[in-house]
């Protein structure tokens, strides 16, 4: 039986942004592979380049060099309609990502209309139900929804085309802590049910350790290490920077009293 190609292959990726006095190199010679059906995470400090990589794959960054392949096919400088159907993006800010003057039903239907896919009413209804929203939400507008509901709409819109790959850029960081776990559990369930791959960007080590099979660690535009999520949870990193990240994250999670002393 012939093995299916990797969902995403990135080789020698460089991203440079225009800057006074020359360009600013945001991503430096990054290479990694996301296997078919795999969940892969990118972590690192703010400005490390992880979200830029996600946007480069989606075709949202202009100055890119290197090779990006999706399901074995090389992506050109501009994403085709077929590329965009295979790659769907869920942004960090669910309110900013939804058209404020479009109803929920229109928002979820839009990808179907763009790609000329029929049976829109059924697909929208099933798409909303898959993320835990009912028919009563179809006529509402984004400002009438909670943050968690808005992100559910964004996920439904991304999945209505049944794409094989999701690109997730900090999908819970703009939400209340009480809602974050609901959205993460929703994404995990949908992946189990539908078998799609995803590339998840997050600054939260606990999120990627819980949601991903493997994790890439970014530092100053470079990918310094790729390790299994189990190694991240166990703290068995090979690269010193990864070890520092883990130690810093664990320190932040340690309960302390008002004077800053560790609480037993």
């Amino acid at each position: 039986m012939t093995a299916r190609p990797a969902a995403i292959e990135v080789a020698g990726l460089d991203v440079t942004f225009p800057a006074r006095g020359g360009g600013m190199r945001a991503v430096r010679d990054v290479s990694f592979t996301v296997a078919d059906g795999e969940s892969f995470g990118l972590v690192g400090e703010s400005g490390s380049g992880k979200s830029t990589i996600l946007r480069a794959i989606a075709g949202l960054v202009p100055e890119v060099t290197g090779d990006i392949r999706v399901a074995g096919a090389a992506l050109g400088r501009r994403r085709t309609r077929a590329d965009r159907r295979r790659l769907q993006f869920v942004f960090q800010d669910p309110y900013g990502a939804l058209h404020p003057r479009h109803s929920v039903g229109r928002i979820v239907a839009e990808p179907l209309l763009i790609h000329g896919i029929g049976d829109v009413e059924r697909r929208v209804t099933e798409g909303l139900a898959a993320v835990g929203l009912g028919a009563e939400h179809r006529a509402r507008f984004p400002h009438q929804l909670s943050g968690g509901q808005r992100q559910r709409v964004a996920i439904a819109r991304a999945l209505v085309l049944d794409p094989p790959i999701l690109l997730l850029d900090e999908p819970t960081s703009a939400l209340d802590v009480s809602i974050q776990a609901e959205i993460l559990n929703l994404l995990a369930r949908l992946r189990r049910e539908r078998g799609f791959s995803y590339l998840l960007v997050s600054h939260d080590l606990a999120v990627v350790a819980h949601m991903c099979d493997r994790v890439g660690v970014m530092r100053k535009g470079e990918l310094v290490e790729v390790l299994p999520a189990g190694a991240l949870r166990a703290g068995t990193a090979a690269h010193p920077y990864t070890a520092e990240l883990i130690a810093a994250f664990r320190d932040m999670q340690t309960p302390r009293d008002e004077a800053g002393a560790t609480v037993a």
Side-chain angles (χ1 to χ4, degrees):
M1 184 176 179
T2 304
R4 297 179 66 178
I8 300 172
E9 298 171 85
V10 174
L13 180 67
D14 267 66
V15 179
T16 301
F17 292 113
R20 183 176 298 177
M24 192 276 288
R25 199 174 171 198
V27 175
R28 303 167 178 264
D29 194 25
V30 167
S31 300
F32 63 91
T33 299
V34 181
D36 182 54
E38 183 181 27
S39 56
F40 190 96
L42 287 174
V43 297
E45 298 171 288
S46 295
S48 62
K50 55 189 187 297
S51 290
T52 301
I53 291 173
L54 212 63
R55 290 174 177 270
I57 294 171
L60 301 176
V61 177
E63 298 300 323
V64 174
T65 60
D67 185 38
I68 303 173
R69 293 178 176 270
V70 171
L75 299 182
R77 289 184 62 84
R78 299 186 66 176
R79 300 295 172 265
T80 66
R81 181 172 293 190
D83 293 335
R84 297 194 182 282
R85 184 167 178 177
R86 289 195 296 263
L87 288 166
Q88 285 291 302
F89 207 117
V90 177
F91 294 89
Q92 178 178 358
D93 177 12
Y95 191 73
L98 304 179
H99 197 300
R101 296 185 179 181
H102 286 178
S103 68
V104 167
R106 167 71 185 276
I107 289 169
V108 177
E110 188 170 20
L112 299 170
L113 300 174
I114 289 172
H115 289 272
I117 298 173
D119 204 5
V120 172
E121 292 299 313
R122 179 185 64 81
R123 291 176 187 271
V124 169
T125 298
E126 291 180 355
L128 290 173
V131 299
L133 298 177
E136 69 275 14
H137 295 96
R138 289 186 62 146
R140 295 180 187 175
F141 292 85
H143 72 274
Q144 297 174 309
L145 305 176
S146 67
Q149 288 173 333
R150 287 195 288 264
Q151 196 60 299
R152 288 173 186 268
V153 172
I155 293 168
R157 177 180 61 184
L159 290 177
V160 75
L161 294 175
D162 198 23
I165 302 167
L166 282 189
L167 303 176
L168 307 169
D169 189 9
E170 301 268 15
T172 61
S173 64
L175 304 177
D176 293 340
V177 173
S178 60
I179 304 300
Q180 290 180 6
E182 292 181 10
I183 298 301
L184 293 174
N185 289 335
L186 171 65
L187 287 167
R189 175 179 62 79
L190 290 169
R191 176 176 168 248
R192 288 194 304 270
E193 293 174 354
R194 302 189 179 206
F196 54 77
S197 309
Y198 62 69
L199 178 56
L200 167 68
V201 160
S202 179
H203 67 279
D204 192 325
L205 298 189
V207 167
V208 294
H210 172 65
M211 295 290 291
C212 299
D213 301 319
R214 290 188 302 138
V215 180
V217 181
M218 296 291 299
R219 180 176 185 266
K220 296 182 178 179
E222 297 181 349
L223 182 65
V224 299
E225 182 174 7
V226 175
L227 67 165
L232 188 66
R233 290 191 292 268
T236 55
H239 195 279
Y241 176 71
T242 307
E244 290 176 13
L245 271 184
I246 294 171
F249 182 78
R250 288 179 173 175
D251 184 63
M252 289 174 60
Q253 304 304 306
T254 302
R256 298 179 185 276
D257 63 19
E258 293 183 358
T262 300
V263 178

